[in-house]
Amino acid sequence: EVVMTQSPATLSVSPGDRATLSCRASQNIRKTLAWYQQRPGQPPRLLIYGASTRATGIPARFSGSGSGTEFTLTISSLQSEDFAVYYCQQYNEWPPITFGQGTRLEIK
Amino acid sequence: EVQLVESGGGLIQPGGSLRLSCAASGFIVSTNYMTWVRQAPGKGLEWVSLLYSGGTTKYADSVKGRFTISKDNSKNTLYLQMDRLRVEDTAVYYCAKTTGRDSSDWPYFESWGQGTLVTVSS
């Protein structure tokens, strides 16, 4: 099973600043990684797939990078609606499809 | 517009059974890959099961032999039959439209329903 580890667990950032979230895979997953955003009381929403491709309708301030075992989600100029929990998910080797434990992005 | 509406959740005793439904609109379930993902209260996301458009099924080890994913093409609806339920199955269950083998990249979850809460407790 591919274990996904996200860091930090909680990230405090001021509105307008940049946030950098990390996701590490326990083995090489090439670029088979997706990122999701989950606001309180809402289902997850697909942000990024293929490690760096934005999903339809996702603002350009969201960007993904990385390959192999190290991945990053960057949110430039944070807006109020961006404060949420973010999950990474690998789909290189499955079943099982595995998620990271999440990073909570909170207002500083 | 893609819409997914889950139903069928509720309070059930350990050892009991429940069937969840996911009614889809805006796309055809029969020609798409579909997934169930769950989220225990206050916890992260856990993949449960995936149904290929052709009928192949995949399950997480934690539910294999107890849960069955299926679809009714005439109703454009996905199901999750959950038997021998355990306390640790308590979660919000989401269905998700999933990219499939015809995509260059798969599977990840393009669209999600709002979820239905299953509580297993005596």
Side-chain angles (χ1 to χ4, degrees), chain B residues 90-109:
Chain B
T90 295
V92 173
Y93 285 73
Y94 297 102
C95 65
K97 182 177 180 288
T98 304
T99 58
R101 200 187 290 274
D102 55 331
S103 301
S104 58
D105 233 358
W106 75 290
Y108 56 87
F109 313 121

Side-chain angles (χ1 to χ4, degrees), chain A residues 67-83:
Chain A
S67 66
T69 62
E70 300 285 342
F71 300 87
T72 299
L73 175 69
T74 301
I75 313 169
S76 63
S77 189
L78 279 162
Q79 309 295 303
S80 58
E81 62 266 28
D82 299 336
F83 293 95

Side-chain angles (χ1 to χ4, degrees), chain A residues 31-32 34 36 38 41-46 48-51 87 89-92 94-101, chain B residues 35 37 39 42-47 50 52 58-61 64 94 98 105-115:
Chain A
K31 299 190 77 174
T32 57
Y36 301 86
Q38 188 176 32
Q42 294 296 311
R45 176 175 72 144
L46 176 67
I48 301 282
Y49 62 91
Y87 295 95
Q89 173 234 327
Q90 70 83 24
Y91 48 95
N92 183 68
W94 65 280
I97 296 166
T98 50
F99 292 90
Q101 79 279 19
Chain B
T35 296
V37 173
Q39 186 170 36
K43 302 297 184 183
L45 302 171
E46 180 188 15
W47 172 75
L50 188 151
Y52 290 40
K58 302 290 184 183
Y59 297 95
D61 285 347
K64 197 175 295 182
Y94 297 102
T98 304
D105 233 358
W106 75 290
Y108 56 87
F109 313 121
E110 302 174 290
S111 301
W112 298 64
Q114 289 294 313

Side-chain angles (χ1 to χ4, degrees), chain B residues 38-41 46 87-93 116-120:
Chain B
R38 68 184 180 184
Q39 186 170 36
E46 180 188 15
V87 171
E88 54 265 34
D89 294 321
T90 295
V92 173
Y93 285 73
T116 187
L117 175 62
V118 173
T119 303
V120 185

Side-chain angles (χ1 to χ4, degrees), chain A:
Chain A
E1 173 176 329
V2 180
V3 177
M4 306 301 293
T5 303
Q6 293 185 240
S7 62
T10 303
L11 183 61
S12 299
V13 182
S14 300
D17 286 353
R18 175 190 299 258
T20 302
L21 289 67
S22 296
C23 176
R24 173 177 293 178
S26 60
Q27 62 193 66
N28 184 358
I29 61 168
R30 303 176 295 147
K31 299 190 77 174
T32 57
L33 184 99
W35 288 96
Y36 301 86
Q37 175 194 67
Q38 188 176 32
R39 296 171 175 148
Q42 294 296 311
R45 176 175 72 144
L46 176 67
L47 296 176
I48 301 282
Y49 62 91
S52 60
T53 303
R54 277 190 304 277
T56 302
I58 301 303
R61 65 180 182 273
F62 290 90
S63 63
S65 63
S67 66
T69 62
E70 300 285 342
F71 300 87
T72 299
L73 175 69
T74 301
I75 313 169
S76 63
S77 189
L78 279 162
Q79 309 295 303
S80 58
E81 62 266 28
D82 299 336
F83 293 95
V85 180
Y86 292 84
Y87 295 95
C88 60
Q89 173 234 327
Q90 70 83 24
Y91 48 95
N92 183 68
E93 185 177 290
W94 65 280
I97 296 166
T98 50
F99 292 90
Q101 79 279 19
T103 290
R104 180 179 304 277
L105 182 57
E106 63 176 28
I107 300 174
K108 187 175 183 179

Side-chain angles (χ1 to χ4, degrees), chain B residues 17-86:
Chain B
S17 296
L18 213 53
R19 189 179 79 158
L20 306 183
S21 300
C22 170
S25 59
F27 73 101
I28 300 172
V29 166
S30 65
T31 59
N32 279 272
Y33 288 51
M34 298 294 294
T35 296
W36 288 97
V37 173
R38 68 184 180 184
Q39 186 170 36
K43 302 297 184 183
L45 302 171
E46 180 188 15
W47 172 75
V48 172
S49 181
L50 188 151
L51 177 62
Y52 290 40
S53 57
T56 298
T57 57
K58 302 290 184 183
Y59 297 95
D61 285 347
S62 58
V63 307
K64 197 175 295 182
R66 299 187 300 122
F67 289 11
T68 303
I69 191 171
S70 64
K71 60 186 173 181
D72 185 331
N73 296 338
S74 67
K75 295 182 178 179
N76 211 36
T77 298
L78 177 74
Y79 299 103
L80 185 68
Q81 177 67 42
M82 305 186 295
D83 298 322
R84 303 199 304 278
L85 281 160
R86 305 169 180 168

